[in-house]
Amino acid sequence: MNNNERVKTWINCIFEFDFKGKDVLKNQVLNSEFLYYQHCDYISIKFLVNNEVELYPYKHRVAVEIIAHQKSSAPVLFLLHVINGKVNELEVVKADSSEIDPNIIELDNLKLYI
């Protein structure tokens, strides 16, 4: 799976849940481009959202937090960051800050935390 497919899969998992402002954030994400950065212990997807979007109306810096429980390692956290009403970043890290391999993240046991 390439990075574009991987990010789309992760985004689809996030938007399967119901939460306040979901439609606004989903519209922003689906109508933006992104940059994928991978480091040893985290992955950062930076969204390039245009100025013509409806703004997220809540003051949460981390609008959505998804925990993906893994069978053989620490859980993986998906943190959707919003700055000034716009989706800024999807941060992907392991709960214990260990090395992360995007190819083996299990998505079958997800929990939403807001």
Side-chain angles (χ1 to χ4, degrees), residues 57-73:
Y58 306 102
K59 300 294 179 197
H60 306 289
R61 168 71 191 228
V62 177
V64 180
E65 179 178 339
I66 304 286
I67 297 180
H69 294 280
Q70 307 297 292
K71 292 181 183 122
S72 61
S73 70

Side-chain angles (χ1 to χ4, degrees), residues 2 8-9 36 57 101 108-109:
N2 68 39
K8 287 177 184 178
T9 297
Y36 181 99
D101 181 349
D108 55 342
N109 188 3

Side-chain angles (χ1 to χ4, degrees), residues 25-83:
L25 294 178
K26 185 175 182 178
N27 185 53
Q28 287 183 15
V29 168
L30 293 177
N31 291 296
S32 67
E33 295 182 26
F34 64 84
L35 303 172
Y36 181 99
Y37 301 99
Q38 182 172 343
H39 305 277
C40 177
D41 57 349
Y42 73 95
I43 298 166
S44 173
I45 294 96
K46 297 285 190 178
F47 292 97
L48 307 171
V49 179
N50 72 46
N51 291 326
E52 305 295 320
V53 297
E54 179 182 357
L55 297 179
Y56 182 69
Y58 306 102
K59 300 294 179 197
H60 306 289
R61 168 71 191 228
V62 177
V64 180
E65 179 178 339
I66 304 286
I67 297 180
H69 294 280
Q70 307 297 292
K71 292 181 183 122
S72 61
S73 70
V76 174
L77 309 176
F78 293 86
L79 308 168
L80 189 63
H81 295 272
V82 176
I83 297 177

